[in-house]
Tab-separated table of all heavy atoms in Angstrom:
chain	number	residue	atom	x	y	z
K	441	LEU	N	49.830	4.565	-40.234
K	441	LEU	CA	50.056	4.523	-38.797
K	441	LEU	C	48.719	4.189	-38.129
K	441	LEU	O	47.687	4.811	-38.456
K	441	LEU	CB	50.576	5.884	-38.314
K	441	LEU	CG	50.900	6.049	-36.837
K	441	LEU	CD1	52.135	5.242	-36.452
K	441	LEU	CD2	51.127	7.516	-36.494
K	442	ILE	N	48.747	3.225	-37.218
K	442	ILE	CA	47.515	2.940	-36.451
K	442	ILE	C	47.816	3.335	-35.000
K	442	ILE	O	48.795	2.846	-34.399
K	442	ILE	CB	47.178	1.433	-36.502
K	442	ILE	CG1	47.040	0.969	-37.948
K	442	ILE	CG2	45.894	1.172	-35.727
K	442	ILE	CD1	46.904	-0.562	-38.085
K	443	ILE	N	47.019	4.249	-34.481
K	443	ILE	CA	47.184	4.650	-33.090
K	443	ILE	C	46.109	3.925	-32.280
K	443	ILE	O	44.956	3.866	-32.709
K	443	ILE	CB	47.039	6.178	-32.881
K	443	ILE	CG1	48.024	6.940	-33.797
K	443	ILE	CG2	47.261	6.566	-31.429
K	443	ILE	CD1	47.980	8.461	-33.628
K	444	THR	N	46.504	3.381	-31.144
K	444	THR	CA	45.511	2.708	-30.323
K	444	THR	C	45.675	3.058	-28.845
K	444	THR	O	46.730	3.459	-28.387
K	444	THR	CB	45.581	1.163	-30.536
K	444	THR	OG1	44.361	0.603	-30.042
K	444	THR	CG2	46.766	0.512	-29.859
K	445	GLY	N	44.586	2.905	-28.107
K	445	GLY	CA	44.577	3.179	-26.673
K	445	GLY	C	43.151	3.063	-26.184
K	445	GLY	O	42.243	2.752	-26.967
K	446	CYS	N	42.945	3.342	-24.910
K	446	CYS	CA	41.606	3.266	-24.347
K	446	CYS	C	41.310	4.581	-23.600
K	446	CYS	O	42.235	5.247	-23.126
K	446	CYS	CB	41.521	2.137	-23.303
K	446	CYS	SG	41.898	0.545	-23.990
K	447	GLY	N	40.056	4.924	-23.497
K	447	GLY	CA	39.644	6.090	-22.729
K	447	GLY	C	40.351	7.352	-23.190
K	447	GLY	O	40.431	7.654	-24.379
K	448	SER	N	40.923	8.065	-22.244
K	448	SER	CA	41.593	9.330	-22.550
K	448	SER	C	42.755	9.108	-23.515
K	448	SER	O	43.033	9.962	-24.363
K	448	SER	CB	42.154	9.974	-21.283
K	448	SER	OG	41.076	10.343	-20.450
K	449	ALA	N	43.434	7.980	-23.381
K	449	ALA	CA	44.583	7.703	-24.268
K	449	ALA	C	44.118	7.606	-25.712
K	449	ALA	O	44.799	8.036	-26.631
K	449	ALA	CB	45.270	6.429	-23.830
K	450	TYR	N	42.922	7.039	-25.895
K	450	TYR	CA	42.341	6.951	-27.246
K	450	TYR	C	42.038	8.357	-27.751
K	450	TYR	O	42.336	8.687	-28.933
K	450	TYR	CB	41.082	6.074	-27.185
K	450	TYR	CG	40.220	6.168	-28.409
K	450	TYR	CD1	40.613	5.605	-29.615
K	450	TYR	CD2	38.971	6.819	-28.359
K	450	TYR	CE1	39.795	5.686	-30.748
K	450	TYR	CE2	38.173	6.913	-29.476
K	450	TYR	CZ	38.578	6.352	-30.665
K	450	TYR	OH	37.788	6.443	-31.782
K	451	TYR	N	41.492	9.184	-26.886
K	451	TYR	CA	41.205	10.578	-27.338
K	451	TYR	C	42.481	11.346	-27.662
K	451	TYR	O	42.505	12.116	-28.616
K	451	TYR	CB	40.377	11.321	-26.287
K	451	TYR	CG	39.019	10.701	-26.061
K	451	TYR	CD1	38.418	10.661	-24.789
K	451	TYR	CD2	38.300	10.131	-27.113
K	451	TYR	CE1	37.203	10.084	-24.585
K	451	TYR	CE2	37.076	9.557	-26.911
K	451	TYR	CZ	36.496	9.527	-25.647
K	451	TYR	OH	35.292	8.959	-25.462
K	452	ALA	N	43.514	11.107	-26.872
K	452	ALA	CA	44.789	11.732	-27.196
K	452	ALA	C	45.246	11.264	-28.584
K	452	ALA	O	45.746	12.051	-29.399
K	452	ALA	CB	45.857	11.374	-26.152
K	453	GLY	N	44.991	9.992	-28.864
K	453	GLY	CA	45.333	9.427	-30.178
K	453	GLY	C	44.586	10.149	-31.284
K	453	GLY	O	45.149	10.378	-32.380
K	454	LEU	N	43.338	10.518	-31.028
K	454	LEU	CA	42.569	11.233	-32.045
K	454	LEU	C	43.166	12.617	-32.305
K	454	LEU	O	43.191	13.090	-33.457
K	454	LEU	CB	41.116	11.404	-31.616
K	454	LEU	CG	40.265	10.102	-31.599
K	454	LEU	CD1	38.886	10.366	-31.014
K	454	LEU	CD2	40.128	9.528	-33.019
K	455	VAL	N	43.666	13.281	-31.270
K	455	VAL	CA	44.364	14.536	-31.486
K	455	VAL	C	45.623	14.257	-32.328
K	455	VAL	O	45.941	14.975	-33.284
K	455	VAL	CB	44.755	15.273	-30.178
K	455	VAL	CG1	45.447	16.599	-30.484
K	455	VAL	CG2	43.541	15.495	-29.275
K	456	GLY	N	46.303	13.170	-31.962
K	456	GLY	CA	47.540	12.794	-32.688
K	456	GLY	C	47.266	12.571	-34.161
K	456	GLY	O	48.073	12.918	-35.019
K	457	GLN	N	46.131	11.971	-34.461
K	457	GLN	CA	45.773	11.699	-35.854
K	457	GLN	C	45.719	13.029	-36.644
K	457	GLN	O	46.306	13.153	-37.727
K	457	GLN	CB	44.396	11.050	-35.916
K	457	GLN	CG	43.868	10.826	-37.314
K	457	GLN	CD	42.477	10.199	-37.303
K	457	GLN	OE1	41.615	10.568	-36.476
K	457	GLN	NE2	42.226	9.264	-38.206
K	460	ILE	N	49.390	14.420	-36.922
K	460	ILE	CA	50.309	13.661	-37.798
K	460	ILE	C	49.888	13.793	-39.260
K	460	ILE	O	50.709	14.009	-40.133
K	460	ILE	CB	50.453	12.202	-37.309
K	460	ILE	CG1	51.118	12.172	-35.922
K	460	ILE	CG2	51.283	11.361	-38.308
K	460	ILE	CD1	51.025	10.859	-35.191
K	468	VAL	N	46.566	8.109	-40.989
K	468	VAL	CA	46.525	7.627	-39.605
K	468	VAL	C	45.133	7.122	-39.282
K	468	VAL	O	44.151	7.782	-39.600
K	468	VAL	CB	46.887	8.767	-38.605
K	468	VAL	CG1	46.884	8.244	-37.173
K	468	VAL	CG2	48.254	9.393	-38.939
K	469	GLU	N	45.057	5.951	-38.674
K	469	GLU	CA	43.786	5.451	-38.152
K	469	GLU	C	43.926	5.415	-36.626
K	469	GLU	O	45.004	5.110	-36.123
K	469	GLU	CB	43.516	4.027	-38.628
K	469	GLU	CG	43.267	3.904	-40.106
K	469	GLU	CD	43.787	2.590	-40.641
K	469	GLU	OE1	43.482	1.536	-40.073
K	469	GLU	OE2	44.579	2.656	-41.607
K	470	VAL	N	42.819	5.669	-35.960
K	470	VAL	CA	42.863	5.573	-34.490
K	470	VAL	C	41.803	4.573	-34.085
K	470	VAL	O	40.653	4.662	-34.511
K	470	VAL	CB	42.581	6.936	-33.815
K	470	VAL	CG1	42.879	6.849	-32.336
K	470	VAL	CG2	43.416	8.026	-34.478
K	471	GLU	N	42.234	3.584	-33.324
K	471	GLU	CA	41.293	2.489	-32.970
K	471	GLU	C	41.284	2.310	-31.452
K	471	GLU	O	42.332	2.286	-30.819
K	471	GLU	CB	41.790	1.185	-33.603
K	471	GLU	CG	41.933	1.200	-35.100
K	471	GLU	CD	40.599	1.035	-35.806
K	471	GLU	OE1	39.553	0.806	-35.153
K	471	GLU	OE2	40.614	1.145	-37.043
K	472	ILE	N	40.094	2.097	-30.923
K	472	ILE	CA	39.975	1.735	-29.518
K	472	ILE	C	40.591	0.339	-29.374
K	472	ILE	O	40.277	-0.574	-30.108
K	472	ILE	CB	38.482	1.703	-29.106
K	472	ILE	CG1	37.908	3.110	-29.151
K	472	ILE	CG2	38.305	1.060	-27.743
K	472	ILE	CD1	36.427	3.187	-29.011
K	473	ALA	N	41.493	0.197	-28.421
K	473	ALA	CA	42.276	-1.053	-28.325
K	473	ALA	C	41.388	-2.289	-28.110
K	473	ALA	O	41.667	-3.354	-28.662
K	473	ALA	CB	43.310	-0.940	-27.229
K	476	LEU	N	40.225	-3.026	-31.554
K	476	LEU	CA	41.315	-3.348	-32.490
K	476	LEU	C	41.776	-4.795	-32.328
K	476	LEU	O	42.060	-5.483	-33.292
K	476	LEU	CB	42.474	-2.369	-32.276
K	476	LEU	CG	43.664	-2.576	-33.200
K	476	LEU	CD1	43.295	-2.294	-34.638
K	476	LEU	CD2	44.840	-1.658	-32.795
K	490	LEU	N	52.170	0.379	-35.451
K	490	LEU	CA	51.151	0.500	-34.421
K	490	LEU	C	51.739	1.370	-33.320
K	490	LEU	O	52.792	1.039	-32.775
K	490	LEU	CB	50.754	-0.866	-33.838
K	490	LEU	CG	49.646	-0.710	-32.782
K	490	LEU	CD1	48.262	-0.770	-33.412
K	490	LEU	CD2	49.776	-1.772	-31.714
K	491	LEU	N	51.058	2.444	-32.987
K	491	LEU	CA	51.511	3.337	-31.899
K	491	LEU	C	50.508	3.210	-30.780
K	491	LEU	O	49.347	3.623	-30.905
K	491	LEU	CB	51.594	4.773	-32.430
K	491	LEU	CG	51.843	5.884	-31.408
K	491	LEU	CD1	53.140	5.654	-30.653
K	491	LEU	CD2	51.874	7.252	-32.089
K	492	ALA	N	50.928	2.650	-29.666
K	492	ALA	CA	50.037	2.444	-28.515
K	492	ALA	C	50.250	3.567	-27.511
K	492	ALA	O	51.389	3.929	-27.186
K	492	ALA	CB	50.341	1.116	-27.861
K	493	VAL	N	49.129	4.129	-27.018
K	493	VAL	CA	49.194	5.233	-26.058
K	493	VAL	C	48.630	4.724	-24.713
K	493	VAL	O	47.505	4.226	-24.695
K	493	VAL	CB	48.397	6.447	-26.565
K	493	VAL	CG1	48.563	7.621	-25.624
K	493	VAL	CG2	48.789	6.849	-27.983
K	494	SER	N	49.405	4.873	-23.659
K	494	SER	CA	48.896	4.410	-22.369
K	494	SER	C	49.667	5.091	-21.228
K	494	SER	O	50.889	5.015	-21.185
K	494	SER	CB	49.062	2.899	-22.253
K	494	SER	OG	48.708	2.478	-20.967
K	495	GLN	N	48.926	5.715	-20.360
K	495	GLN	CA	49.562	6.344	-19.186
K	495	GLN	C	50.207	5.275	-18.296
K	495	GLN	O	51.380	5.355	-17.976
K	495	GLN	CB	48.524	7.159	-18.422
K	495	GLN	CG	49.031	8.033	-17.287
K	495	GLN	CD	49.435	7.263	-16.034
K	495	GLN	OE1	50.536	7.446	-15.529
K	495	GLN	NE2	48.587	6.369	-15.549
K	496	SER	N	49.389	4.285	-17.919
K	496	SER	CA	49.855	3.273	-16.966
K	496	SER	C	50.812	2.273	-17.602
K	496	SER	O	51.636	1.664	-16.907
K	496	SER	CB	48.664	2.477	-16.416
K	496	SER	OG	48.025	1.792	-17.479
K	497	GLY	N	50.656	2.089	-18.910
K	497	GLY	CA	51.447	1.061	-19.564
K	497	GLY	C	51.009	-0.332	-19.231
K	497	GLY	O	51.709	-1.327	-19.559
K	498	GLU	N	49.855	-0.473	-18.586
K	498	GLU	CA	49.412	-1.805	-18.162
K	498	GLU	C	48.026	-2.144	-18.699
K	498	GLU	O	47.484	-3.200	-18.344
K	498	GLU	CB	49.370	-1.909	-16.622
K	498	GLU	CG	50.708	-1.689	-15.943
K	498	GLU	CD	51.750	-2.747	-16.290
K	498	GLU	OE1	51.387	-3.791	-16.849
K	498	GLU	OE2	52.929	-2.501	-16.025
K	499	THR	N	47.405	-1.290	-19.495
K	499	THR	CA	46.034	-1.519	-19.932
K	499	THR	C	45.981	-2.805	-20.777
K	499	THR	O	46.646	-2.916	-21.818
K	499	THR	CB	45.504	-0.293	-20.700
K	499	THR	OG1	45.597	0.789	-19.795
K	499	THR	CG2	44.076	-0.486	-21.139
K	500	ALA	N	45.155	-3.762	-20.323
K	500	ALA	CA	45.184	-5.110	-20.896
K	500	ALA	C	44.841	-5.079	-22.399
K	500	ALA	O	45.499	-5.776	-23.209
K	500	ALA	CB	44.188	-6.005	-20.167
K	501	ASP	N	43.826	-4.334	-22.777
K	501	ASP	CA	43.410	-4.325	-24.187
K	501	ASP	C	44.508	-3.735	-25.085
K	501	ASP	O	44.753	-4.215	-26.189
K	501	ASP	CB	42.109	-3.531	-24.362
K	501	ASP	CG	40.919	-4.302	-23.813
K	501	ASP	OD1	40.854	-5.517	-24.039
K	501	ASP	OD2	40.073	-3.670	-23.160
K	502	THR	N	45.123	-2.662	-24.603
K	502	THR	CA	46.193	-2.014	-25.405
K	502	THR	C	47.367	-2.972	-25.565
K	502	THR	O	47.925	-3.109	-26.633
K	502	THR	CB	46.614	-0.693	-24.699
K	502	THR	OG1	45.425	0.033	-24.367
K	502	THR	CG2	47.493	0.142	-25.584
K	503	LEU	N	47.695	-3.641	-24.468
K	503	LEU	CA	48.797	-4.591	-24.493
K	503	LEU	C	48.530	-5.724	-25.496
K	503	LEU	O	49.396	-6.133	-26.254
K	503	LEU	CB	48.971	-5.152	-23.079
K	503	LEU	CG	50.260	-5.857	-22.699
K	503	LEU	CD1	51.451	-5.020	-23.032
K	503	LEU	CD2	50.260	-6.182	-21.201
K	505	ALA	N	46.525	-5.600	-28.103
K	505	ALA	CA	46.579	-5.084	-29.472
K	505	ALA	C	48.032	-5.034	-29.952
K	505	ALA	O	48.344	-5.353	-31.100
K	505	ALA	CB	45.952	-3.684	-29.522
K	506	ILE	N	48.944	-4.657	-29.050
K	506	ILE	CA	50.379	-4.605	-29.385
K	506	ILE	C	50.872	-6.023	-29.743
K	506	ILE	O	51.555	-6.221	-30.751
K	506	ILE	CB	51.199	-4.063	-28.200
K	506	ILE	CG1	50.863	-2.574	-27.964
K	506	ILE	CG2	52.692	-4.254	-28.406
K	506	ILE	CD1	51.328	-2.065	-26.623
K	516	THR	N	56.027	-1.848	-33.455
K	516	THR	CA	55.141	-1.299	-32.441
K	516	THR	C	55.881	-0.220	-31.645
K	516	THR	O	57.009	-0.418	-31.225
K	516	THR	CB	54.605	-2.375	-31.504
K	516	THR	OG1	55.708	-3.031	-30.887
K	516	THR	CG2	53.756	-3.403	-32.238
K	517	LEU	N	55.179	0.884	-31.447
K	517	LEU	CA	55.753	1.993	-30.656
K	517	LEU	C	54.834	2.270	-29.471
K	517	LEU	O	53.624	2.002	-29.548
K	517	LEU	CB	55.852	3.262	-31.498
K	517	LEU	CG	56.561	3.187	-32.853
K	517	LEU	CD1	56.510	4.573	-33.525
K	517	LEU	CD2	58.003	2.745	-32.666
K	518	GLY	N	55.378	2.861	-28.424
K	518	GLY	CA	54.568	3.204	-27.269
K	518	GLY	C	54.756	4.649	-26.861
K	518	GLY	O	55.845	5.203	-27.012
K	519	ILE	N	53.661	5.255	-26.391
K	519	ILE	CA	53.765	6.516	-25.645
K	519	ILE	C	53.267	6.163	-24.263
K	519	ILE	O	52.090	5.889	-24.052
K	519	ILE	CB	52.865	7.612	-26.263
K	519	ILE	CG1	53.334	7.928	-27.682
K	519	ILE	CG2	52.912	8.868	-25.389
K	519	ILE	CD1	52.470	8.974	-28.394
K	520	VAL	N	54.188	6.087	-23.321
K	520	VAL	CA	53.886	5.515	-22.018
K	520	VAL	C	54.433	6.458	-20.927
K	520	VAL	O	55.518	7.026	-21.071
K	520	VAL	CB	54.514	4.097	-21.893
K	520	VAL	CG1	54.324	3.538	-20.505
K	520	VAL	CG2	53.930	3.167	-22.932
K	521	ASN	N	53.654	6.573	-19.834
K	521	ASN	CA	54.157	7.376	-18.738
K	521	ASN	C	54.907	6.540	-17.698
K	521	ASN	O	55.926	6.959	-17.182
K	521	ASN	CB	53.001	8.143	-18.074
K	521	ASN	CG	53.487	9.192	-17.100
K	521	ASN	OD1	54.500	9.829	-17.359
K	521	ASN	ND2	52.810	9.336	-16.010
K	522	ALA	N	54.363	5.359	-17.398
K	522	ALA	CA	54.958	4.526	-16.344
K	522	ALA	C	56.188	3.788	-16.863
K	522	ALA	O	56.069	2.821	-17.626
K	522	ALA	CB	53.943	3.566	-15.787
K	525	SER	N	56.855	-0.242	-17.379
K	525	SER	CA	55.567	-0.936	-17.427
K	525	SER	C	55.539	-1.935	-18.595
K	525	SER	O	56.422	-1.921	-19.457
K	525	SER	CB	54.446	0.085	-17.574
K	525	SER	OG	54.692	0.846	-18.752
K	527	ILE	N	53.716	-2.181	-21.303
K	527	ILE	CA	53.687	-1.664	-22.674
K	527	ILE	C	55.043	-1.048	-23.045
K	527	ILE	O	55.524	-1.239	-24.157
K	527	ILE	CB	52.520	-0.647	-22.834
K	527	ILE	CG1	51.201	-1.401	-22.695
K	527	ILE	CG2	52.592	0.090	-24.175
K	527	ILE	CD1	49.943	-0.593	-22.794
K	528	ALA	N	55.677	-0.389	-22.074
K	528	ALA	CA	57.008	0.173	-22.350
K	528	ALA	C	57.976	-0.947	-22.706
K	528	ALA	O	58.845	-0.778	-23.544
K	528	ALA	CB	57.484	0.947	-21.147
K	531	THR	N	56.769	-2.938	-26.374
K	531	THR	CA	56.818	-2.258	-27.682
K	531	THR	C	58.277	-2.230	-28.168
K	531	THR	O	59.214	-2.298	-27.377
K	531	THR	CB	56.283	-0.825	-27.570
K	531	THR	OG1	56.741	-0.232	-26.362
K	531	THR	CG2	54.761	-0.785	-27.580
K	533	ALA	N	59.889	0.252	-29.588
K	533	ALA	CA	60.527	1.517	-29.264
K	533	ALA	C	59.453	2.464	-28.765
K	533	ALA	O	58.238	2.125	-28.845
K	533	ALA	CB	61.167	2.110	-30.529
K	534	GLY	N	59.837	3.613	-28.227
K	534	GLY	CA	58.782	4.486	-27.754
K	534	GLY	C	59.306	5.778	-27.120
K	534	GLY	O	60.497	6.039	-27.098
K	535	VAL	N	58.337	6.536	-26.619
K	535	VAL	CA	58.654	7.842	-26.030
K	535	VAL	C	57.949	7.879	-24.665
K	535	VAL	O	56.734	7.637	-24.587
K	535	VAL	CB	58.123	8.991	-26.916
K	535	VAL	CG1	58.518	10.327	-26.329
K	535	VAL	CG2	58.625	8.844	-28.352
K	537	ASN	N	56.368	9.840	-21.419
K	537	ASN	CA	55.743	11.161	-21.194
K	537	ASN	C	56.576	12.007	-20.222
K	537	ASN	O	56.509	13.237	-20.264
K	537	ASN	CB	54.382	11.022	-20.536
K	537	ASN	CG	53.407	10.206	-21.345
K	537	ASN	OD1	53.786	9.322	-22.069
K	537	ASN	ND2	52.131	10.519	-21.211
K	547	SER	N	42.368	10.820	-15.812
K	547	SER	CA	43.638	11.223	-16.402
K	547	SER	C	43.622	12.716	-16.725
K	547	SER	O	42.713	13.224	-17.388
K	547	SER	CB	43.892	10.396	-17.666
K	547	SER	OG	45.147	10.713	-18.177
K	549	LYS	N	47.128	15.110	-16.317
K	549	LYS	CA	48.473	15.353	-16.873
K	549	LYS	C	48.871	14.227	-17.803
K	549	LYS	O	49.658	14.432	-18.728
K	549	LYS	CB	49.485	15.584	-15.772
K	549	LYS	CG	49.702	14.416	-14.829
K	549	LYS	CD	50.787	14.766	-13.816
K	549	LYS	CE	51.053	13.626	-12.853
K	549	LYS	NZ	52.180	13.901	-11.975
K	550	GLY	N	48.294	13.041	-17.592
K	550	GLY	CA	48.562	11.955	-18.491
K	550	GLY	C	48.114	12.312	-19.900
K	550	GLY	O	48.887	12.213	-20.863
K	551	PHE	N	46.876	12.768	-20.029
K	551	PHE	CA	46.310	13.106	-21.341
K	551	PHE	C	47.112	14.236	-21.983
K	551	PHE	O	47.519	14.151	-23.151
K	551	PHE	CB	44.846	13.514	-21.190
K	551	PHE	CG	44.226	14.010	-22.457
K	551	PHE	CD1	43.705	13.119	-23.387
K	551	PHE	CD2	44.159	15.373	-22.750
K	551	PHE	CE1	43.140	13.582	-24.581
K	551	PHE	CE2	43.606	15.823	-23.943
K	551	PHE	CZ	43.089	14.915	-24.854
K	552	VAL	N	47.346	15.304	-21.230
K	552	VAL	CA	48.055	16.474	-21.786
K	552	VAL	C	49.447	16.098	-22.249
K	552	VAL	O	49.893	16.478	-23.329
K	552	VAL	CB	48.058	17.634	-20.773
K	552	VAL	CG1	49.053	18.689	-21.152
K	552	VAL	CG2	46.653	18.248	-20.678
K	553	SER	N	50.133	15.279	-21.447
K	553	SER	CA	51.482	14.915	-21.866
K	553	SER	C	51.470	13.965	-23.048
K	553	SER	O	52.379	13.962	-23.887
K	553	SER	CB	52.287	14.336	-20.688
K	553	SER	OG	51.619	13.217	-20.160
K	554	GLN	N	50.399	13.156	-23.171
K	554	GLN	CA	50.293	12.288	-24.342
K	554	GLN	C	50.170	13.136	-25.607
K	554	GLN	O	50.792	12.882	-26.645
K	554	GLN	CB	49.077	11.367	-24.205
K	554	GLN	CG	49.289	10.201	-23.253
K	554	GLN	CD	47.997	9.575	-22.741
K	554	GLN	OE1	46.902	10.058	-23.016
K	554	GLN	NE2	48.130	8.495	-21.994
K	555	VAL	N	49.318	14.183	-25.508
K	555	VAL	CA	49.132	15.046	-26.690
K	555	VAL	C	50.444	15.753	-26.992
K	555	VAL	O	50.822	15.916	-28.160
K	555	VAL	CB	47.979	16.057	-26.445
K	555	VAL	CG1	47.882	17.025	-27.612
K	555	VAL	CG2	46.661	15.312	-26.266
K	556	ALA	N	51.166	16.171	-25.952
K	556	ALA	CA	52.457	16.843	-26.187
K	556	ALA	C	53.435	15.889	-26.896
K	556	ALA	O	54.136	16.301	-27.844
K	556	ALA	CB	53.048	17.346	-24.880
K	557	VAL	N	53.486	14.622	-26.485
K	557	VAL	CA	54.373	13.669	-27.151
K	557	VAL	C	53.907	13.472	-28.596
K	557	VAL	O	54.736	13.431	-29.517
K	557	VAL	CB	54.408	12.314	-26.394
K	557	VAL	CG1	55.189	11.285	-27.213
K	557	VAL	CG2	55.056	12.477	-25.023
K	558	LEU	N	52.605	13.380	-28.784
K	558	LEU	CA	52.108	13.211	-30.164
K	558	LEU	C	52.471	14.395	-31.036
K	558	LEU	O	52.738	14.253	-32.231
K	558	LEU	CB	50.590	12.971	-30.131
K	558	LEU	CG	50.243	11.523	-29.693
K	558	LEU	CD1	48.821	11.454	-29.124
K	558	LEU	CD2	50.417	10.549	-30.847
K	561	ILE	N	55.974	13.808	-32.054
K	561	ILE	CA	56.065	12.755	-33.068
K	561	ILE	C	55.594	13.324	-34.413
K	561	ILE	O	56.192	13.064	-35.470
K	561	ILE	CB	55.272	11.525	-32.640
K	561	ILE	CG1	55.950	10.843	-31.445
K	561	ILE	CG2	55.110	10.514	-33.783
K	561	ILE	CD1	55.231	9.646	-30.870
Side-chain angles (χ1 to χ4, degrees):
L441 182 70
I442 304 172
I443 305 182
T444 197
C446 301
S448 294
Y450 166 71
Y451 296 144
L454 290 174
V455 181
Q457 176 182 40
I460 295 167
V468 181
E469 292 147 51
V470 190
E471 302 281 354
I472 293 170
L476 181 64
L490 182 89
L491 172 58
V493 185
S494 174
Q495 187 286 129
S496 63
E498 299 296 346
T499 301
D501 287 318
T502 312
L503 197 52
I506 293 165
T516 58
L517 308 179
I519 297 178
V520 175
N521 190 37
S525 57
I527 294 179
T531 41
V535 184
N537 301 30
S547 183
K549 62 178 181 174
F551 174 84
V552 165
S553 58
Q554 283 160 355
V555 175
V557 172
L558 283 157
I561 292 177

